[in-house]
Amino acid sequence: MSRTAILYVVLLAMACIAPFVGYPLFLMKCLCFALFACAFNLLVGFTGLLSFGHAMFFGFAAYACAHSAKVWGWTPEVAILFGTLSAGLMGLVVGWLAVRRQGIYFAMVTLALSQMVYFICVQAPFTYAEDGIQGVPRGKLLGVIDLKDDMVMYYFVLAIFAAAFALIYRVIHSPFGQVLKSIRENEPRALSLGYDVDKYKLVAFVLSAALAGLAGATKSLSLGLATLTDVTWQMSGEVVLMTLLGGMGTILGPVVGASAIIAMGNYLSGFGSWVTIIMGATFVVCVLLFRRGIVGEIEHRLGKKKSP
Amino acid sequence: MSQDIILETRQLTKEFKGFVAVDGVNLKVKRGSIHALIGPNGAGKTTVFNLLTKFLPVTSGQILYNGQDITAEKPVQVARRGMVRSFQISAVFPHLTVLENVRVGLQRKLGTSFHFWKPESTLHSLNARAMELLEAVDLASFADTQTVELPYGRKRALEIATTLALDPELMLLDEPTQGMGHEDVGRVVELIRKVAANRTVLMVEHNMSVIANLSDTITVLARGSVLAEGPYETVSKDPKVLEAYVGTVEEAA
């Protein structure tokens, strides 16, 4: 077994033991945001597209999932699937408009569209505006396994995370992933080699949006609520922060970054609004001292020359 | 339209907000030849390349490839027809390995480039061909190196190998020896001669000895128009060309 495979097995084992040591709810939140950041990283780290509106997929899927589980009484797996698909569909529309532009213009188009989604969520009746959808029932998985218990829910979330992480890993290491990386590295060159770069970007965008939606939908079930916070532009910023802190373009970086940010928000909550300042300062220090992010820096120090 | 002309432009013109960068250029590239496009800085050589490969839209005029009008096509379509370009600044994928760089060129033909569910190992069948191409440009021993770590001259060679991976009918090389040391220039000249054996090459080049050495036909551009055309012997003695270069021809030769 290769060293990478051993690392992943060890990490998975640790994730299995984790709820006996830490709080399952906190861990679930970490996993959901880690998945969100991984989905985002697929776009920014491996395709070279900086989206500044990813909260729209995360937050809207959270609403879609919460609504279908609470109001329509769908089982959790169907509700999550519904959330994921609605985010994917939204990604298709947004991506179709956004991939025609590059760099800062791409970021601005995604930001503008995500603000539109935010205002729709503020106005639409099914989101309950400021209150959000609260008390979302977790229901019974496949109508059989009751997810009310946090431990059971945790393993369900872990299974979703592991499957999605494996999918992202495969996408990165696929023929498609090779083309994505070449677009990230040198877009005009990829174009001159006959690749219709916009189509590749769009597929990557839809995948990333759907996976961000999966993260949001899973979050709304595990924490039992979907709120406006999840669709704000601050949330879009937070996922950028998580990815940069952990290491953009590394496979494990977003997981580390997301866990660190969530942990900070959790354990430093005693400091009140100072948390934002502490996070900001951490970010500045990170950018100044290790530009590659935590995982990026470790990989670099270990002399791993080959990019993932 | 004679069949031995692979690429032809008719009154090709490009204006940028009132500034005419390319002005009524008529160019005929013979199949199987090495055709050089030269001219002082700002003569519009790279703009012509960008027009031919559709990286810039044409203001007026026509581009014919193998007798077919491609003026309105997209860069991807032009590339798929077999006209593949290189760039003035070395166009490699820096954070991929040398082997992966060439393989990206080979990969499209497999038809699996959108298959995000397939493992990378499905591309390994291309490795042998990629290694052949790397051997052709003397880079086989660097196959697993990160491209960013290659010296400049080697990057240019890699770029040619990647272009060759598409087996293009017509190769457009934008200053293939620019910024290179003496030994590297020699290597690239030999390489171009080798790859031009069974295809057509159109190149922009500043190095006069390279041009004298390689090209069958030279077109001199100045201020966006064709100043002179012909073999090196004729063009290099043309007083108009000498004037346009104000002495740089002697210097370089």
Side-chain angles (χ1 to χ4, degrees):
Chain A
M1 212 159 42
S2 76
R3 270 171 55 196
T4 339
I6 294 171
L7 175 68
Y8 286 125
V9 169
V10 170
L11 287 175
L12 186 63
M14 278 166 65
C16 287
I17 307 167
F20 296 100
V21 186
Y23 299 106
L25 265 181
F26 165 74
L27 292 168
M28 280 188 257
K29 198 176 171 191
C30 281
L31 284 177
C32 292
F33 278 95
L35 178 55
F36 182 27
C38 285
F40 177 76
N41 187 41
L42 179 63
L43 206 55
V44 73
F46 292 96
T47 320
L49 293 173
L50 174 61
S51 157
F52 208 80
H54 250 49
M56 67 179 136
F57 308 121
F58 184 77
F60 192 82
Y63 279 126
C65 173
H67 184 82
S68 63
K70 191 180 176 185
V71 182
W72 298 334
W74 291 4
T75 53
E77 71 285 350
V78 182
I80 288 178
L81 195 65
F82 176 66
T84 309
L85 289 179
S86 50
L89 200 64
M90 187 185 260
L92 186 66
V93 177
V94 173
W96 184 74
L97 289 165
V99 295
R100 293 145 196 270
R101 292 288 170 266
Q102 279 144 1
I104 191 73
Y105 302 102
F106 176 85
M108 287 300 118
V109 171
T110 51
L111 173 62
L113 292 169
S114 79
Q115 285 303 92
M116 278 172 58
V117 171
Y118 171 77
F119 285 111
I120 289 169
C121 289
V122 170
Q123 297 294 334
F126 69 90
T127 61
Y128 298 102
E130 302 294 331
D131 294 338
I133 307 178
Q134 294 178 7
V136 182
R138 286 179 187 167
K140 288 185 174 162
L141 181 60
L142 301 167
V144 183
I145 308 161
D146 198 338
L147 295 173
K148 209 175 281 166
D149 184 51
D150 280 347
M151 286 301 251
V152 182
M153 186 65 194
Y154 173 80
Y155 287 109
F156 178 48
V157 173
L158 181 61
I160 292 175
F161 174 82
F165 186 84
L167 174 67
I168 292 172
Y169 186 90
R170 169 49 58 84
V171 172
I172 293 166
H173 296 93
S174 69
F176 176 70
Q178 276 288 321
V179 180
L180 287 190
K181 281 180 244 174
S182 68
I183 293 172
R184 171 193 73 187
E185 294 290 309
N186 193 334
E187 188 177 329
R189 181 53 166 167
L191 185 63
S192 80
L193 292 178
Y195 291 105
D196 206 336
V197 294
D198 284 356
K199 281 189 191 146
Y200 289 86
K201 286 182 185 172
L202 182 58
V203 174
F205 196 91
V206 172
L207 280 173
S208 171
L211 287 163
L214 176 62
T218 311
K219 198 218 95 174
S220 76
L221 274 197
S222 36
L223 302 186
L225 80 167
T227 62
L228 277 179
T229 320
D230 297 342
V231 272
T232 51
W233 64 265
Q234 285 93 335
M235 184 58 77
S236 297
E238 203 157 294
V239 74
V240 177
L241 187 67
M242 288 169 176
T243 309
L244 287 180
L245 183 66
M248 193 176 89
T250 64
I251 292 174
L252 279 172
V255 181
V256 174
S259 307
I261 298 278
I262 296 298
M264 268 195 253
N266 216 44
Y267 291 110
L268 303 177
S269 56
F271 291 95
S273 53
W274 281 91
V275 174
T276 323
I277 295 177
I278 298 172
M279 275 186 200
T282 316
F283 182 61
V284 170
V285 170
C286 162
V287 170
L288 288 178
L289 292 182
F290 41 97
R291 246 177 347 105
R292 296 179 184 87
I294 298 168
V295 174
E297 196 65 30
I298 293 171
E299 276 183 2
H300 183 71
R301 292 278 164 86
L302 290 177
K304 263 181 89 176
K305 290 284 160 61
K306 201 174 174 298
S307 75
Chain B
M1 174 82 214
S2 137
Q3 248 332 78
D4 65 342
I5 302 293
I6 184 164
L7 180 72
E8 183 182 358
T9 69
R10 292 179 185 162
Q11 290 299 316
L12 189 66
T13 302
K14 178 69 192 174
E15 282 181 37
F16 294 105
K17 301 209 165 127
F19 170 72
V20 184
V22 175
D23 190 5
V25 168
N26 294 310
L27 201 65
K28 275 186 183 172
V29 180
K30 279 204 203 83
R31 190 183 303 279
S33 69
I34 300 182
H35 194 126
L37 202 56
I38 66 167
N41 286 332
K45 305 174 298 271
T46 297
T47 310
V48 168
F49 260 40
N50 284 332
L51 292 173
L52 292 176
T53 49
K54 313 311 303 164
F55 275 68
L56 282 175
V58 174
T59 307
S60 67
Q62 257 188 321
I63 304 167
L64 297 137
Y65 183 75
N66 281 328
Q68 278 173 297
D69 192 332
I70 59 160
T71 320
E73 287 192 349
K74 292 197 177 109
V76 170
Q77 292 169 301
V78 172
R80 291 183 184 177
R81 278 181 185 274
M83 174 155 75
V84 182
R85 69 173 298 181
S86 73
F87 293 81
Q88 199 166 10
I89 37 162
S90 86
V92 291
F93 304 118
H95 294 97
L96 299 183
T97 67
V98 168
L99 182 81
E100 283 171 329
N101 260 268
V102 178
R103 210 171 56 188
V104 169
L106 293 168
Q107 195 188 320
R108 194 167 50 80
K109 275 181 239 144
L110 280 185
T112 61
S113 291
F114 277 108
H115 295 188
F116 58 79
W117 55 90
K118 281 197 178 144
E120 202 168 284
S121 53
T122 56
L123 295 175
H124 289 179
S125 60
L126 299 173
N127 287 2
R129 176 72 188 128
M131 283 308 285
E132 270 175 40
L133 287 162
L134 287 178
E135 262 155 42
V137 298
D138 216 5
L139 280 175
S141 54
F142 294 92
D144 293 325
T145 311
Q146 278 263 299
T147 305
V148 68
E149 288 160 22
L150 285 185
Y152 185 77
R154 299 274 187 187
K155 279 187 193 147
R156 300 304 309 246
L158 174 60
E159 194 186 333
I160 292 176
T162 308
T163 308
L164 283 175
L166 297 186
D167 195 17
E169 208 181 358
L170 172 61
M171 264 173 103
L172 274 65
L173 304 174
D174 198 351
E175 301 199 25
T177 69
Q178 187 223 31
M180 276 188 191
H182 191 68
E183 321 84 84
D184 282 340
V185 170
R187 192 187 300 132
V188 169
V189 167
E190 279 323 301
L191 188 57
I192 294 173
R193 201 193 304 279
K194 197 156 77 181
V195 304
N198 46 9
R199 66 190 92 236
T200 317
V201 174
L202 174 64
M203 62 178 192
V204 165
E205 184 53 68
H206 275 305
N207 188 324
M208 284 300 163
S209 66
V210 171
I211 291 162
N213 230 323
L214 276 177
S215 43
D216 303 307
T217 315
I218 297 171
T219 301
V220 187
L221 280 185
R223 294 166 191 268
S225 318
V226 175
L227 196 67
E229 191 167 65
Y232 181 75
E233 293 72 34
T234 330
V235 168
S236 63
K237 292 192 183 80
D238 192 316
K240 280 186 294 184
V241 175
L242 291 174
E243 195 195 316
Y245 270 91
V246 258
T248 52
V249 172
E250 284 95 322
E251 244 170 66

